């Protein structure tokens, strides 16, 4: 009797393919099979497929790869949900979920016997105790641990995790970036030993596979990792922890464009597990859910290890020469004299050309979308990347009439040179994604800084995330408002959260922490509320603004990007799709665009976008999926779909 199996491949074709097989192939193993003129590895998703229509054209499996299956039927259901939700093929989803494919061979970053910080005698504070009790009391459901930076959220997570393990259930602990989470990883390894599995991106494929199988067999029941660890094949999921919930790195930047928070919510609901999110700066969506009582809020209000919230001050950059103000330079020097360390934070994002008044700080925004308009040299116009609105750049500031206005943005190199030149006698080191990519250099810099051998750490986004250095007294934010200029409705939220998080690096272990926030816009609400620590006020205003403009959480967005090396082809396809989508989505949804993406050309590809806004998500999602499935994409035109986009650049 002939036997047929279906495979799902990592290709953007929304179907599976049937082959003849000599041997029985179970669900969840990988096999190699001919695909077009190539030979590809695919996942067995149907071990007993029915014979296809054209039997004479059926090809045979070349060989089986895995002895033991990588997933089971329940896991396949998760992949099918992914495929529907994010409009990607089943094979693309399985490949993203079971990412074993990385080939670069690098040693695991951390040894097991790292020296660890002492934590054996921690007595939980009353707030921590209560949070642990409340989360543990439920078998499922979502909670949010909202606690200021340094308030001991990690300890709450670990205590809850301990109880979940005692129930015989498993845990997935998600962090934005595993390389910056060494202390937590060490603690987990020390406390939970062999039952811990650390999914590090630097694991080799064979190390990854070994960890994957250990998790599947239930030998590892405490998994810690970044975004894709949300797919860990744990048995009896009991808890997902989503630390730093607001981080945009939880959203995948390539197909399938999933959000780990959304996947975690889905998994916890369907597997009857608890979800605990945590942050000092929740996303606006999460805050809104908490306010509405749809998400349980647990608060931690105190710093526990001898620290207190730092003193924050604002320095206006208006009229300043160079990127470092006199007060900031003085503060760095004073800090050094006192034998302490400084962190200078530089926001690399946000260097698009935007229009700004140097006298009053006014920034030109779209009258329809409130996002910053971007200047296009070629056309000589200010353009909105959401709705396509165009206008001429003003001669004088529309707010105060000043002629001292124009296109703003300091180059990052210039800032780095300036810092070096200002402190020739201090040891200054840079920490950014470039320097971190070099093997071991991130660890080396962080260790040297921890030992006090570096006086000033100049860093980008990386220094904002969860780092704890006892010697840090001063944090300087070089230009707090760069992110505000991005043509993105989340610009204010990101700025607020970044200032708060970066500031949280100061004074974690001593009461004399100090933060200097340099800005062109001292009165911008995102800056002002962050500096004054007025969290509630920020969210209240921001939520009202979102409501007024019908942006999430008061609507949901779907984004379609059309790209092609030929501009005309991209434009034509975008216009055609806009028509089809408006028709299919009807009155219920609004199709904005086509407009140029803020990053209008990437690697020679012209990019156009459509933003679909709806408050009947299911129906609009279905309509968009139908249109895209039926659409015959012209040759050399490519589509990207992003459901609930986090960034729209
Ligand atoms: P968060 O994640 O909220 O920013 P952390 O979990 O990093 O804060 O905790 C900050 C510091 O407080 C850590 O050094 C941690 O060991 C310490 N800590 C946590 N809980 C307690 C406690 N109950 N008593 C004393 N110190 C604590
Ligand atoms: Zn002005
Ligand atoms: Zn607009």
């Amino acid at each position: 009797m002939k036997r047929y199996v279906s495979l799902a491949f990592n290709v953007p074709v929304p179907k599976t393919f049937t082959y003849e097989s000599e041997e029985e192939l179970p669900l969840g193993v990988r096999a190699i099979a001919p695909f077009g003129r190539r030979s590809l590895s695919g996942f067995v998703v149907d071990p007993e497929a029915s014979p296809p229509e054209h039997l004479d054209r059926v090809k045979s499996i070349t060989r089986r790869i895995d002895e033991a299956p990588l997933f089971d039927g329940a896991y396949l259901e998760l992949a099918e949900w992914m495929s529907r939700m994010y409009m990607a093929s089943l094979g693309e989803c399985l490949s993203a979920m079971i990412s074993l494919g990385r080939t670069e061979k690098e040693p695991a970053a951390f040894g097991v016997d790292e020296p660890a910080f002492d934590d054996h005698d921690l007595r939980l504070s009353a707030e921590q105790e209560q949070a642990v009790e409340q989360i543990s009391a439920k078998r499922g459901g979502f909670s949010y641990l909202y606690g200021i930076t340094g308030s001991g959220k990690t300890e709450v997570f670990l205590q809850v995790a301990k109880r979940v393990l005692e129930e015989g259930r498993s845990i997935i602990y998600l962090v934005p970036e595993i390389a910056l989470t060494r202390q937590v990883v060490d603690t987990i390894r020390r406390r939970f030993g062999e039952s811990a599995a650390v999914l590090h991106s630097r694991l080799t494929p064979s190390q990854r596979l070994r960890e994957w199988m250990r998790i599947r067999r239930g030998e590892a029941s405490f998994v810690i990792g970044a975004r894709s660890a949300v797919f860990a094949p744990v048995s009896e999921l009991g808890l997902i922890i989503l630390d730093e919930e607001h981080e945009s790195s939880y959203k995948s930047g390539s197909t399938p464009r999933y959000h780990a928070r959304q996947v975690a919510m889905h998994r916890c609901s369907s597997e009857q597990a608890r979800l605990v999110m945590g942050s000092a700066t929740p996303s606006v969506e999460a805050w809104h859910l908490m306010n509405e009582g749809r998400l349980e809020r647990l608060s931690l209000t105190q710093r526990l290890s001898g620290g207190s919230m730092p003193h924050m001050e604002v320095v206006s950059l208006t009229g300043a020469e160079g990127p470092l103000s006199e007060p900031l330079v003085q503060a760095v020097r004073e800090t050094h004299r006192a034998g302490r360390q400084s962190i200078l934070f530089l926001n690399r994002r946000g260097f698009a050309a935007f229009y700004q008044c140097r006298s009053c700080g006014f920034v030109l925004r779209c009258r329809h979308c409130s996002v910053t308009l971007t200047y296009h040299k070629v056309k000589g116009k200010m353009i909105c990347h959401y709705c396509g609105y165009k206008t001429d750049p003003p001669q004088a500031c529309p707010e105060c009439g000043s002629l001292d206005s124009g296109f703003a943005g300091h180059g990052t190199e210039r800032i780095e040179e300036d810092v070096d030149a200002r402190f020739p006698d201090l040891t200054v080191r840079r920490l950014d994604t470039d320097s971190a990519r070099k093997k071991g250099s991130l660890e080396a810099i962080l260790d040297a800084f921890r030992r006090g051998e570096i006086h000033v750490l100049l860093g980008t986004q990386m220094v904002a995330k969860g780092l704890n250095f006892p010697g840090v007294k001063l944090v300087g934010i070089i230009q707090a408002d760069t992110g505000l200029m991005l043509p993105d409705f989340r610009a204010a939220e990101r700025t607020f959260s970044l200032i708060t998080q970066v500031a949280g690096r100061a004074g974690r272990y001593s009461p004399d922490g100090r933060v200097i926030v340099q800005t062109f816009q001292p009165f911008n609400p995102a800056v002002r509320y962050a500096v004054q620590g007025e969290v509630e006020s920020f969210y209240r205003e921001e939520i009202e603004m979102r409501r007024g403009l019908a942006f999430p959480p008061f609507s949901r967005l779907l984004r379609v990007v059309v790209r092609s090396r030929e501009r005309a082809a991209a434009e034509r396809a975008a216009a055609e799709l806009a028509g089809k989508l408006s028709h299919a989505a009807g009155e219920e949804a609004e199709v904005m665009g086509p407009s140029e993406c803020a990053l209008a050309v990437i690697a020679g590809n012209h990019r156009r976008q459509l933003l679909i806004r709806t408050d009947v998500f299911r129906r609009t999602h279905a309509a968009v999926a139908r249109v895209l499935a039926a659409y015959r994409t012209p040759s050399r035109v490519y589509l990207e779909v992003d459901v609930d986009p986090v960034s729209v650049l």
Side-chain angles (χ1 to χ4, degrees):
M1 226 211 33
K2 289 205 159 98
R3 196 181 277 129
Y4 299 97
V5 299
S6 292
L7 297 190
F9 296 103
N10 185 14
V11 293
V13 184
K15 51 182 198 164
T16 59
F17 300 84
T18 302
Y19 293 86
E20 197 180 321
S21 175
E22 296 277 307
E23 60 166 324
E24 204 173 305
L25 289 180
L27 175 73
V29 297
R30 286 170 302 169
I32 308 263
F35 186 84
R37 288 195 214 146
R38 293 177 289 173
S39 198
L40 290 184
S41 122
F43 297 97
V44 173
V45 290
D46 186 354
E48 294 168 42
S50 40
E53 246 173 70
H54 302 285
L55 274 178
D56 49 319
R57 282 198 233 142
V58 175
K59 296 178 188 160
S60 297
I61 295 284
T62 314
R63 70 180 172 86
R64 170 176 180 169
I65 300 179
D66 304 296
E67 235 351 272
L70 302 178
F71 59 88
D72 60 14
Y75 200 80
L76 182 61
E77 279 178 27
L78 176 61
E80 283 165 344
W81 172 80
M82 287 276 293
S83 171
R84 283 191 303 276
M85 178 69 183
Y86 299 109
M87 302 186 203
S89 77
L90 190 57
E92 287 176 310
C93 291
L94 283 166
S95 300
M97 295 164 71
I98 311 172
S99 56
L100 303 169
R102 282 177 178 263
T103 44
E104 68 263 48
K105 278 209 167 58
E106 278 184 87
F110 311 119
V112 186
D113 39 43
E114 280 289 339
F117 67 116
D118 196 19
D119 61 352
H120 47 269
D121 274 340
L122 277 189
R123 282 217 21 245
L124 290 186
S125 69
E127 285 177 336
Q128 284 175 316
E129 190 83 52
Q130 196 189 352
V132 172
E133 291 303 331
Q134 266 176 261
I135 299 166
S136 308
K138 301 186 292 183
R139 291 277 297 178
F142 304 164
S143 338
Y144 204 109
L145 189 58
Y146 164 60
I148 59 169
T149 50
S151 60
K153 295 186 280 295
T154 313
E155 197 50 40
V156 172
F157 295 148
L158 294 180
Q159 294 291 340
V160 175
K162 187 162 151 252
R163 298 201 187 179
V164 172
L165 284 182
E166 284 162 6
E167 291 170 5
R169 300 170 83 194
S170 310
I171 293 135
I172 299 175
Y173 191 149
L174 300 172
V175 295
E177 184 146 16
I178 196 91
L180 297 175
T181 320
R182 176 156 54 170
Q183 289 171 346
V184 178
V185 169
D186 289 344
T187 308
I188 290 174
R189 278 191 164 137
R190 203 174 50 253
R191 290 196 203 171
F192 301 98
E194 274 302 291
S195 62
V198 183
L199 295 181
H200 199 286
S201 67
R202 295 193 217 181
L203 296 181
T204 64
S206 61
Q207 287 172 324
R208 275 203 154 236
L209 184 59
R210 200 165 58 228
E211 288 303 87
W212 185 270
M213 296 312 290
R214 235 162 53 80
I215 297 167
R216 249 180 76 68
R217 287 192 301 267
E219 291 164 19
S221 42
F222 196 139
V223 180
I224 172 164
R227 183 174 66 223
S228 65
V230 75
F231 300 119
V234 294
S235 49
E236 293 285 323
L237 179 66
L239 169 71
I240 297 182
I241 297 161
L242 187 78
D243 201 1
E244 309 293 352
E245 172 273 336
H246 63 281
E247 274 287 336
S248 48
S249 63
Y250 283 126
K251 173 85 176 179
S252 167
S254 57
T255 309
R257 291 181 165 73
Y258 68 90
H259 198 300
R261 180 181 56 214
Q262 206 162 41
V263 177
M265 286 180 166
H266 178 81
R267 277 196 82 167
C268 287
S269 305
S270 58
E271 298 173 48
Q272 280 90 51
R274 306 170 181 90
L275 171 62
V276 185
M277 297 171 266
S279 175
T281 53
S283 65
V284 168
E285 281 89 342
W287 190 272
H288 184 60
L289 285 177
M290 288 189 263
N291 275 359
E292 300 222 302
R294 290 191 281 155
L295 177 59
E296 180 184 38
R297 175 181 1 220
L298 305 161
S299 300
L300 301 181
T301 58
Q302 306 295 325
R303 281 193 162 177
L304 296 175
S305 43
S308 59
M309 290 313 273
H311 177 74
M312 311 254 302
E313 49 204 291
V314 181
V315 173
S316 172
L317 281 175
T318 308
E321 289 174 28
L324 295 186
S325 67
E326 221 29 60
L328 182 55
V329 172
Q330 288 309 327
V332 170
R333 296 214 158 276
E334 268 167 40
T335 305
H336 178 61
R337 276 199 297 275
R340 306 280 296 279
Q341 295 166 295
S342 303
I343 292 180
L344 295 181
F345 172 75
L346 176 61
N347 189 357
R348 256 178 197 284
R349 289 185 202 137
F351 284 91
F354 55 89
Y355 179 94
Q356 183 169 41
C357 172
R358 274 179 284 270
S359 302
C360 76
F362 169 84
V363 173
L364 197 61
R365 291 168 186 277
C366 177
R367 59 175 66 180
H368 308 295
C369 309
S370 103
V371 297
T372 344
L373 297 177
T374 304
Y375 179 60
H376 281 247
K377 256 207 195 98
V378 188
K379 299 192 183 104
K381 295 268 185 202
M382 304 298 302
I383 298 179
C384 171
H385 290 288
Y386 277 41
C387 69
Y389 169 78
K390 286 191 189 64
T391 180
D392 288 323
Q395 300 290 321
C397 172
E399 193 68 21
C400 74
S402 164
L403 292 174
D404 187 15
S405 60
F407 301 101
H410 272 304
T412 53
E413 289 75 17
R414 160 99 201 274
I415 295 174
E416 282 158 13
E417 280 166 21
D418 215 81
V419 173
D420 280 339
R422 288 287 201 128
F423 307 109
D425 51 326
L426 305 190
T427 311
V428 181
R429 284 282 176 282
R430 252 172 62 190
L431 185 70
D432 54 26
T433 20
D434 297 337
S435 56
R437 214 165 281 142
K438 284 186 225 112
K439 191 172 74 194
S441 94
L442 170 70
E443 286 80 9
I445 294 174
L446 293 182
D447 282 342
F449 192 57
R450 200 169 279 124
R451 286 195 300 267
E453 293 161 13
I454 294 173
H455 304 130
V456 180
L457 189 65
L458 173 63
T460 56
Q461 262 69 5
M462 295 196 96
V463 302
K465 288 181 200 165
L467 296 175
N468 290 334
F469 299 104
V472 173
K473 174 177 159 76
L474 174 71
V475 166
I477 302 181
I478 292 178
Q479 194 183 332
D481 41 66
T482 45
L484 281 175
M485 316 309 172
L486 285 178
D488 194 318
F489 71 90
R490 286 195 175 85
E493 173 181 354
R494 291 227 179 87
T495 300
F496 174 82
S497 134
L498 206 55
I499 296 173
T500 309
Q501 293 285 347
V502 176
R505 302 307 118 212
R508 289 173 77 88
Y509 300 91
S510 58
D512 60 355
R514 184 172 175 199
V515 178
I516 294 184
V517 179
Q518 299 193 134
T519 176
F520 282 108
Q521 303 182 56
F523 300 110
N524 181 288
V527 175
R528 193 161 46 90
Y529 287 137
V531 168
Q532 295 169 345
E534 291 189 29
V535 181
E536 314 258 335
S537 310
F538 171 74
Y539 284 105
R540 194 181 322 113
E541 274 187 26
E542 183 64 19
I543 285 173
E544 280 325 301
M545 180 122 83
R546 300 273 181 97
R547 197 197 303 275
L549 294 162
F551 275 128
F554 299 97
S555 66
R556 286 177 76 175
L557 300 177
L558 294 98
R559 181 191 194 211
V560 180
V561 172
V562 181
R563 68 180 154 84
S564 174
R565 294 200 159 265
E566 292 157 40
R567 206 179 62 200
E571 274 167 5
R572 222 177 306 120
E576 201 179 354
L577 267 177
K580 288 179 192 290
L581 287 169
S582 314
H583 182 75
E587 295 286 295
E588 297 178 335
E590 177 189 359
V591 179
M592 299 187 271
S595 67
E596 251 177 23
C597 294
L599 303 167
V601 184
I602 297 182
N605 279 291
H606 296 268
R607 303 167 75 240
R608 296 290 178 276
Q609 70 173 358
L610 300 165
L611 269 183
I612 301 133
R613 172 159 57 187
T614 180
D615 32 46
V616 283
F617 178 74
R618 274 168 164 278
R619 286 206 296 269
T620 304
H621 180 275
V624 171
R626 257 195 328 274
V627 168
L628 294 179
Y631 184 63
R632 294 218 30 209
T633 317
S635 67
R636 279 177 300 186
V637 171
Y638 300 90
L639 300 185
E640 290 165 14
V641 192
D642 194 346
V643 177
D644 298 318
V646 157
S647 159
V648 287
L649 296 182

